Amino acid sequence: MKKAIGLILIFIVLLASAGYYYVFVYAKNHHRDVQAEKSIVVVADSLSAVFGEDEAKANAAYLNKAIQVTGAIINIDKNQAGQTTILVGNKTAFSNVSITLAMPLPSKYGVGSTITVKGVCTGFLSDVVVTDGVVQ
């Protein structure tokens, strides 16, 4: 009985150690390098239109892929983690592209500026969502 409890405790300690390593060491050091990947070049208005027409088809083409989006900045904000987020597209459109930047936005960009950002498309909510964005 004591041997079984000892084995269970060893298993729990090993499992906890593996979980700690993955969350705090491996995941921190093994991020996807979007800048090194070949990207799909697209205009923000076109990207949001494709997702609006057929989300399944757009997911097949863009989901979890590196994309380079160009468009006018509609809004600049910060998310809960303190990262800069920009809304790119057309003010009159129902849907646009929401980009979370990996680095702060250079000061030369403001609302109305045209910008090109490379990042990972993570799907469509009311806007197309792009993460890990880097200004090109």
Side-chain angles (χ1 to χ4, degrees), residues 25-120:
V25 178
Y26 181 83
K28 184 177 181 181
N29 297 323
H30 291 86
H31 285 278
R32 182 175 176 180
D33 185 13
V34 178
Q35 290 303 309
E37 294 181 34
K38 185 176 180 184
S39 61
I40 301 168
V41 178
V42 65
V43 176
D45 294 341
S46 303
L47 183 63
S48 57
V50 168
F51 271 94
E53 290 170 10
D54 187 353
E55 189 175 350
K57 183 178 176 184
N59 279 337
Y62 298 107
L63 190 63
N64 293 323
K65 295 185 180 154
I67 61 172
Q68 185 170 314
V69 181
T70 301
I73 299 174
I74 300 170
N75 187 24
I76 302 170
D77 206 356
K78 297 256 184 207
N79 65 11
Q80 292 175 342
Q83 295 173 303
T84 302
T85 60
I86 57 175
L87 189 63
V88 178
N90 185 340
K91 284 184 181 181
T92 60
F94 177 72
S95 176
N96 291 293
V97 181
S98 176
I99 303 171
T100 302
L101 299 176
M103 296 179 211
L105 184 67
S107 60
K108 70 178 185 176
Y109 294 104
V111 174
S113 301
T114 299
I115 192 168
T116 300
V117 179
K118 188 174 183 181
V120 178

